[in-house]
Amino acid sequence: MEENQQEPKKPQFRGLYRNVKISVKALDRIIIACLVVIVVVLAFEMRNPGFTITFDSKGGTDVAPQNQMYGEHLELPEPPTREGYSFTGWYIDYACEEPWNVEEGTIQSDMTLYAGWEAKTP
């Protein structure tokens, strides 16, 4: 073998921070702070029972409240019954002018839905 022959140069791993113009110590602190924020948010979300949806049957049979998470679609309960009336659906307002849209409506906060009634004709 020749003495002048050089070994091929091996690439060196310079670490995760080789192209960053900030100190390693500062980056480590930023990463740790981000991890703490993620853990706190996850702990809060796991503890959060969601939002409460109550049903005001306005004179009809009682309907149990439900807990749902943000953004979920509401699973409508069995309709209440009321003597002499037909159930017309669940409404967002007490006057029963704005119906709850079952297919598009999602839970955004605690809310109350009101039963709509129409008098039966004898």
Side-chain angles (χ1 to χ4, degrees), residues 1-10:
M1 281 195 141
E2 290 183 20
E3 290 182 25
N4 288 344
Q5 187 178 4
Q6 295 179 350
E7 286 187 30
K9 204 171 194 185
K10 295 180 183 176

Side-chain angles (χ1 to χ4, degrees), residues 22-31:
I22 191 170
S23 73
V24 172
K25 194 174 195 178
L27 277 175
D28 286 342
R29 288 181 179 161
I30 291 170
I31 290 170

Side-chain angles (χ1 to χ4, degrees), residues 35-55:
L35 289 174
V36 168
V37 167
I38 290 170
V39 168
V40 168
V41 167
L42 286 174
F44 174 75
E45 285 299 316
M46 293 174 83
R47 185 185 61 79
N48 184 0
F51 297 108
T52 302
I53 294 80
T54 55
F55 299 91

